[in-house]
Amino acid sequence: MEKIVFVKSDIRNYVKTVISEKIEKLKNFIEFTLEASRDIKKTPKYDSMREEMQEEIYQMQRQLGALNDLKRNMSKVLNNSTEMIQLGSLVITNKARFYISVSLGEFFFEGDRFYAISPESPMAKKMMGMKSGDAFTLNNIHQEIVEVI
């Protein structure tokens, strides 16, 4: 079986790009919703519609804040290679590929499935300090660490 080579800096840049794209999309949607709320004509339903739109804008602004936090946290993720699992490690197990960085969840990079997980996640906490060849069990799922990049 041919070994797949992953370039961690490419994955790191991809995660940063995904976050930036989500921020831009959300900013555009907030602007669109603000414009729409200004265009609502004075009708009997006017106040309740504006109230609903304001609530929607508020929710999107909270999401935007969370995405900006992710972007800020990504700047702390180093790109150096280590043998021990730590923040910034790309961990290949016999079951999945984990990028310990920010809580972005599942993503696909060059056709392969990855999970960007926070160092505070139970999975990352379980793996921290381990190295290739180590094994662990979480939620009754046994995994072996194949490679740490």
Side-chain angles (χ1 to χ4, degrees):
M1 186 167 108
E2 184 180 325
K3 182 179 174 186
I4 302 171
V5 177
F6 298 106
V7 180
K8 187 165 62 170
S9 61
D10 292 348
I11 293 169
R12 181 177 187 266
N13 290 336
Y14 180 77
V15 168
K16 288 171 81 173
T17 300
V18 167
I19 293 169
S20 294
E21 287 172 355
K22 285 182 179 220
I23 288 171
E24 278 309 303
K25 190 183 286 186
L26 199 51
K27 281 181 179 177
N28 290 338
F29 199 63
I30 289 170
E31 186 58 38
F32 173 80
T33 307
L34 281 169
E35 286 293 319
S37 74
R38 290 185 200 115
D39 291 343
I40 293 175
K41 304 288 184 250
K42 297 258 186 211
T43 66
K45 293 184 179 180
Y46 171 78
D47 289 337
S48 65
M49 286 175 67
R50 275 187 69 97
E51 212 171 280
E52 285 179 30
M53 291 179 104
Q54 280 306 119
E55 182 61 30
E56 187 69 29
I57 291 167
Y58 173 71
Q59 293 297 331
M60 287 188 288
Q61 287 172 334
R62 286 183 48 213
Q63 289 174 4
L64 185 61
L67 284 170
N68 281 321
D69 287 346
L70 285 184
K71 187 175 184 177
R72 223 177 353 269
N73 290 340
M74 266 310 288
S75 65
K76 300 173 190 170
V77 177
L78 302 176
N79 201 35
N80 49 349
S81 198
T82 62
E83 289 185 18
M84 302 281 271
I85 297 173
Q86 63 183 19
L87 178 65
S89 292
L90 179 61
V91 183
I92 314 299
T93 73
N94 61 328
K95 304 257 194 258
R97 298 171 194 92
F98 301 97
Y99 181 44
I100 301 175
S101 53
V102 294
S103 183
L104 189 63
E106 180 184 63
F107 67 95
F108 289 86
F109 180 74
E110 295 181 353
D112 290 305
R113 181 189 315 223
F114 291 86
Y115 296 93
I117 61 173
S118 158
E120 287 85 37
S121 71
M123 179 67 73
K125 284 182 175 180
K126 191 79 169 175
M127 294 189 295
M128 286 294 186
M130 292 184 165
K131 56 188 184 313
S132 292
D134 289 347
F136 64 95
T137 302
L138 182 67
N139 298 331
N140 293 323
I141 299 172
H142 183 76
Q143 297 190 55
E144 295 170 21
I145 298 169
V146 177
E147 187 176 7
V148 177
I149 304 172

